[in-house]
Amino acid sequence: QKEVEQDPGPLSVPEGAIVSLNCTYSNSAFQYFMWYRQYSRKGPELLMYTYSSGNKEDGRFTAQVDKSSKYISLFIRDSQPSDSATYLCAMSAKTGNTPLVFGKGTRLSVIA
Amino acid sequence: DVKVTQSSRYLVKRTGEKVFLECVQDMDHENMFWYRQDPGLGLRLIYFSYDVKMKEKGDIPEGYSVSREKKERFSLILESASTNQTSMYLCASSFLVGGEQYFGPGTRLTVT
């Protein structure tokens, strides 16, 4: 079983839709969770990070962590064509010397 | 803002050539990382460095070496480039090994 699983998509939605992107993980030691956005031919950029369980909101983006289910989500409200990108989840135990573990990314297209 | 720069955006090399990819960060981060990214395979960690002159192998170190002589600079070396090393190479840095990483724009390397 891979440590982090992420549906690769592609996911295509109409402009204005609510988008839900998800990752599951197997390592119960993970406590630090991140979402990255990567536009085509660019490097990933950090979008949001959360520590432990709960929700975090930033504008149209909400990150949600459910440690009991080992499941994290990123919600995008009022999606825009500029949100079209690949979204990668990443996580770590933070303590110790283990780098982030990344999901493979979900490709999202928002159609105008 | 964290700034991570990479020496080239696009590079074309011949099989057997020695290739140097350079990465510089300006945030005084202890940790630096080299990844390659291929369609369907996601980000794969090649090497990371947690201090000057210190390095750790990642998931796919074969065919690569690294050098970190100064804190802000991390180089990836392909000793003898092969066609299966054609890929997007991404450098990142972070304050903690398991903390949020900040990526450079990437180098698209083609080996012919």
Side-chain angles (χ1 to χ4, degrees), chain A residues 32 34 36 46 49 100, chain B residues 1-5 23-33 48-54 68-74 91-104:
Chain A
Y32 200 46
M34 274 149 257
Y36 285 82
L46 182 64
Y49 62 88
L100 292 178
Chain B
D1 264 0
V2 177
K3 187 95 171 161
V4 179
T5 56
C23 175
V24 178
Q25 51 95 4
D26 68 356
M27 279 303 291
D28 203 34
H29 282 165
E30 303 291 334
N31 306 284
M32 296 187 74
F33 307 82
F48 72 98
S49 168
Y50 53 90
D51 200 351
V52 174
K53 296 191 189 295
M54 306 303 288
R68 193 162 179 208
E69 297 295 321
K70 292 186 177 180
K71 190 175 186 179
E72 68 271 17
R73 193 177 297 267
F74 192 33
C91 174
S93 72
S94 70
F95 180 61
L96 296 173
V97 172
E100 59 269 28
Q101 293 180 16
Y102 296 88
F103 283 84

Side-chain angles (χ1 to χ4, degrees), chain B residues 36-38 44 64 83-89 107-111:
Chain B
R36 63 177 285 176
Q37 188 176 37
D38 302 287
R44 290 183 290 168
Y64 303 93
T83 54
N84 63 13
Q85 293 179 309
T86 291
S87 186
M88 173 73 135
Y89 288 88
T107 296
R108 177 72 197 171
L109 172 68
T110 302
V111 183

Side-chain angles (χ1 to χ4, degrees), chain A residues 31-97:
Chain A
Q31 54 181 325
Y32 200 46
F33 304 93
M34 274 149 257
W35 286 95
Y36 285 82
R37 178 175 62 196
Q38 185 176 21
Y39 291 116
S40 183
R41 299 180 191 279
K42 305 277 187 188
E45 59 176 319
L46 182 64
L47 203 55
M48 295 186 73
Y49 62 88
T50 58
Y51 183 73
S52 199
S53 283
N55 290 2
K56 183 175 181 179
E57 194 172 314
D58 183 1
R60 295 185 295 110
F61 298 89
T62 299
Q64 192 173 79
V65 174
D66 181 349
K67 289 191 72 181
S68 61
S69 302
K70 297 192 182 70
Y71 189 87
I72 69 169
S73 300
L74 177 71
F75 298 97
I76 307 174
R77 288 186 300 280
D78 187 24
S79 56
Q80 303 294 310
S82 59
D83 295 327
S84 298
T86 297
Y87 290 81
L88 298 98
C89 63
M91 51 198 79
S92 75
K94 193 168 184 183
T95 55
N97 289 325

Side-chain angles (χ1 to χ4, degrees), chain B residues 8 10 31 43 45 51 55 59 62 69 72 84 96:
Chain B
S8 307
Y10 300 95
N31 306 284
L43 283 169
L45 182 63
D51 200 351
K55 62 186 179 187
D59 300 318
E62 296 79 19
E69 297 295 321
E72 68 271 17
N84 63 13
L96 296 173

